[in-house]
Amino acid sequence: MFESINSRNIALMLEAMPVICAPLSYLLILSGADSSILRGIIGIATVIAFFGFVFFFIGRKLVKDDKVVFALGILDILATVSIFGIYMIAIFSFGL
């Protein structure tokens, strides 16, 4: 059953999560919708996107010399930087 799942596929799935969660969190934060479920999704997606650098290291550990995994790793780091940017904008908007 799990013969087709190898370390490259696991690395691709793990590294795709922050790349998907960063824009998802942006869209949900900027949307006007508000509910407890959406706030939970925003929180989970933001945490996953913020820890994108961890997924970069996990992907590099699993598959060292794959170009697709490396490209997704760069996008993982950019996801972390983008979430960090949201928090910096929030801090400056409050004048702290």
Side-chain angles (χ1 to χ4, degrees), residues 1-43:
M1 179 175 169
F2 294 109
E3 294 87 23
S4 65
I5 297 178
N6 57 15
S7 61
R8 182 179 185 270
N9 291 339
I10 292 171
L12 288 174
M13 286 186 284
L14 286 175
E15 289 202 13
M17 287 181 5
V19 175
I20 293 169
C21 287
L24 177 68
S25 64
Y26 273 127
L27 290 174
L28 290 177
I29 288 171
L30 295 177
S31 72
D34 186 30
S35 71
S36 62
I37 295 172
L38 284 178
R39 280 185 251 136
I41 293 171
I42 290 170

Side-chain angles (χ1 to χ4, degrees), residues 25-69:
S25 64
Y26 273 127
L27 290 174
L28 290 177
I29 288 171
L30 295 177
S31 72
D34 186 30
S35 71
S36 62
I37 295 172
L38 284 178
R39 280 185 251 136
I41 293 171
I42 290 170
I44 291 169
T46 303
V47 168
I48 290 172
F50 182 73
F51 288 112
F53 67 94
V54 174
F55 291 99
F56 170 75
F57 291 124
I58 292 171
R60 293 298 292 168
K61 181 86 171 165
L62 289 174
V63 183
K64 296 201 184 324
D65 54 348
D66 189 43
K67 293 187 188 300
V68 176
V69 172

